[in-house]
Amino acid sequence: MSSNTRVRFAPSPTGYLHIGGARTALFNWLHAKHTGGVLVLRIEDTDRSRNTAEAAQAIYDGLRWLGLDWDEGPEAGGDLGPYFQSERETIYQSYLDRLRAADRVYDDNGSVRFRFTREKVVFDDVICGHIEFDMTSAETNPDMTIRRPDGSWIFHFVNVVDDIEMKISDVIRGEDHLSNTPKHVQLYRALGVPPPRFAHIPLILNRDGSKMSKRDQGASLNTYIEGGYLPEAVRNYLCLLGWSPKDNREKLDLAEVVQLFDLAKVHRKNAAFDLDKCTWLNGEYVRELSDDRFQEMGRQALTKAGIDLGKFLPDYVRAALETCKGKFRIFSELPAYGGFYFKDDFEFNADGVAKHFVPANKPLLLAVREAFAALDTFDAASLEAALKATASGRAIKVGALVHPTRLAVTGSNAGPSLYHLLEVLGKEKVLARLDRALSRFG
């Protein structure tokens, strides 16, 4: 395919970036990269009552978070702007004048209507195949309003005008726009311009088969930005909503996706959204993060949770985080998993207390404290040897000591490797926490 490919992502700035919009932007971006083409970002802000500069900024920030750059548009420039519909009034008026000169529009109670040609509209969609719409009946397909009585423009008209002016070669959008396409084709023909190639990508559905709405779990890109997901993992997951490399692989490098991506191989059937699968995939990416990036993301997650890392030595924070790597899926889980490193007054897990802080375990925990207090070297190997020797001396399994000890020093029944977390906490802190736990026994 030639590098004359020009695609566009044209969101309305009425709130956060929806996950469906992010997937549409991604597929446009992939197609542009695959063909050596251009991605245009256009802001469809004609609904003045709902559009805000903050919402437009949320779109830019969301796209950049995903790693999707645009070649033309707001904050990038370009020769075919302006890239806000609100600034294109004179362009729309000139196209309306062309339609009026061709007798394809008429006035109706203050609005302007486009006169359809009564015919079957036929076009080939890259994904959906051969499409025919019967527009012969004015009852089922009445002439379309393109300008409201208040002077504002209807989406269908300005959308087509902008695509003509910005020389868009391929229109990639959600399948919910498929039924609008015959109206757009008629506008192109009335303006004497060949329509672009259309590619309508499958809808994203919830697990129950319903269409994903703005209120559904995982619908907002902010869920992922605020929830400690990695952009590369979310982007990878979005690639798989309607497309796959045909070899059942799920973790894919972006450069490889760009190389393999082909609009003709996008699936026809709707894509099922599974937040659990996205979270699992994120965990695979977290496990493979470089140490520096893991540390950076970990610090951000802990700080966001209200933990003041400034109170702790950098080496202590680094060592604490190292014990957590590969043990959680998203960074918002980190404070609950490893937060015990940074506060001494944590709550003890209620189930753990009922199971492990029982009278019979008090002498065991006292023996553990005594063994730890006697250590000159407080490292993982020495701690493990001390715990095993204590268990052996009492003819019990080491697990009988591990579980109450973990609960005593972390407040939890699960977490990082016990001997390593004890080493990180250090002798003074561990003994103080054992004393605090022993006081629970009365």
Side-chain angles (χ1 to χ4, degrees):
M1 203 175 298
S2 76
S3 59
N4 293 329
T5 300
R6 289 179 61 85
V7 295
R8 46 74 166 177
F9 176 53
S12 297
T14 56
Y16 57 78
L17 186 56
H18 186 274
I19 203 73
R23 196 270 309 254
T24 298
L26 173 62
F27 278 26
N28 275 280
W29 185 91
L30 287 169
H31 184 59
K33 295 295 181 187
H34 179 75
T35 59
V38 167
L39 171 62
V40 177
L41 176 62
R42 183 172 77 225
I43 302 299
E44 301 198 334
D45 61 343
T46 52
D47 187 345
R48 299 183 188 104
S49 63
R50 295 175 62 212
N51 298 323
T52 66
E54 292 79 14
Q57 190 62 49
I59 291 168
Y60 312 151
D61 293 345
L63 293 175
R64 289 198 176 105
W65 183 80
L66 280 170
L68 306 182
D69 52 333
W70 53 97
D71 304 289
E72 296 177 20
E75 301 186 355
D79 297 330
L80 299 176
Y83 295 96
F84 292 87
Q85 285 186 336
S86 59
E87 299 172 9
R88 299 174 61 81
E89 177 69 27
T90 56
I91 297 170
Y92 303 143
Q93 185 61 54
S94 69
Y95 273 78
L96 177 59
D97 293 343
R98 282 169 60 178
L99 291 176
R100 203 179 284 283
D103 196 28
R104 291 301 302 271
V105 296
Y106 58 93
D107 297 315
D108 178 25
N109 291 321
S111 65
V112 179
R113 285 182 173 269
F114 174 70
R115 185 180 284 110
F116 284 131
T117 302
R118 296 302 162 189
E119 63 183 5
K120 279 190 177 178
V121 176
V122 178
F123 60 94
D124 289 311
D125 187 278
V126 177
I127 297 166
C128 300
H130 186 72
I131 303 292
E132 293 187 13
F133 277 93
D134 188 349
M135 299 189 71
T136 54
S137 168
E139 283 190 22
T140 53
N141 288 286
D143 289 341
M144 173 175 63
T145 298
I146 61 173
R147 194 171 198 177
R148 301 182 186 91
D150 66 1
S152 62
W153 303 96
I154 294 292
F155 155 79
H156 303 290
F157 176 65
V158 293
N159 187 269
V160 166
V161 169
D162 289 344
D163 284 346
I164 292 171
E165 284 285 302
M166 295 178 187
K167 305 186 189 311
I168 301 303
S169 63
D170 300 69
V171 170
I172 305 166
R173 58 191 178 190
E175 196 179 328
D176 49 339
H177 285 290
L178 187 62
S179 60
N180 296 328
T181 306
K183 301 172 185 175
H184 300 176
V185 169
Q186 286 228 15
L187 278 167
Y188 279 104
R189 289 176 180 165
L191 291 164
V193 179
R197 290 199 320 160
F198 292 103
H200 287 86
I201 58 182
L203 298 180
I204 298 176
L205 304 182
N206 293 310
R207 288 183 193 174
D208 62 4
S210 62
K211 184 182 173 185
M212 198 173 199
S213 77
K214 288 186 174 182
R215 290 169 297 282
D216 291 323
Q217 186 185 29
S220 166
L221 194 65
N222 284 353
T223 300
Y224 309 91
I225 298 173
E226 299 297 323
Y229 286 77
L230 297 172
E232 58 267 39
V234 176
R235 189 175 59 215
N236 186 156
Y237 181 67
L238 290 178
C239 287
L240 301 174
L241 291 177
W243 175 87
S244 72
K246 302 295 185 193
D247 56 9
N248 292 325
R249 283 182 303 140
E250 294 182 309
K251 190 169 182 293
L252 298 160
D253 178 71
L254 183 62
E256 186 182 9
V257 177
V258 168
Q259 184 184 351
L260 294 173
F261 188 80
D262 183 350
L263 274 180
K265 293 178 181 171
V266 173
H267 309 316
R268 179 72 174 86
K269 68 178 184 181
N270 291 326
F273 183 83
D274 185 343
L275 186 58
D276 289 340
K277 185 172 181 181
C278 182
T279 302
W280 165 81
L281 187 60
N282 197 81
E284 297 299 297
Y285 274 88
V286 170
R287 194 175 290 114
E288 296 177 14
L289 279 181
S290 69
D291 288 342
D292 285 349
R293 183 141 178 251
F294 179 82
Q295 291 283 333
E296 179 192 352
M297 297 283 292
R299 282 177 167 81
Q300 287 175 5
L302 293 171
T303 301
K304 191 172 177 182
I307 295 170
D308 181 3
L309 297 180
K311 294 178 179 177
F312 303 91
L313 293 172
D315 285 350
Y316 176 81
V317 177
R318 174 171 283 277
L321 285 171
E322 279 175 2
T323 67
C324 301
K325 190 170 182 182
K327 304 293 179 65
F328 59 85
R329 302 168 304 167
I330 51 179
F331 277 92
S332 58
E333 294 172 348
L334 173 61
Y337 184 81
F340 68 87
Y341 281 115
F342 308 101
K343 57 183 177 182
D344 296 317
D345 59 345
F346 48 77
E347 297 289 325
F348 294 103
N349 176 275
D351 291 338
V353 168
K355 190 172 182 181
H356 302 301
F357 284 5
V358 293
N361 277 353
K362 185 172 185 180
L364 300 183
L365 210 53
L366 279 165
V368 169
R369 190 204 186 284
E370 190 177 316
F372 287 173
L375 289 174
D376 293 324
T377 306
F378 211 77
D379 61 18
S382 304
L383 288 157
E384 183 174 6
L387 207 67
K388 287 181 175 177
T390 305
S392 177
R394 290 178 168 264
I396 57 174
K397 290 183 177 178
V398 73
L401 301 179
V402 165
H403 299 303
T405 301
R406 177 185 292 281
L407 183 64
V409 298
T410 71
S412 176
N413 297 321
S417 157
L418 177 63
Y419 307 114
H420 289 97
L421 75 84
L422 291 169
E423 178 182 341
V424 172
L425 285 169
K427 188 173 183 176
E428 183 182 343
K429 204 180 278 278
V430 167
L431 295 180
R433 291 185 180 194
L434 286 168
D435 289 338
R436 177 175 178 249
L438 284 163
S439 70
R440 288 290 298 262
F441 289 82

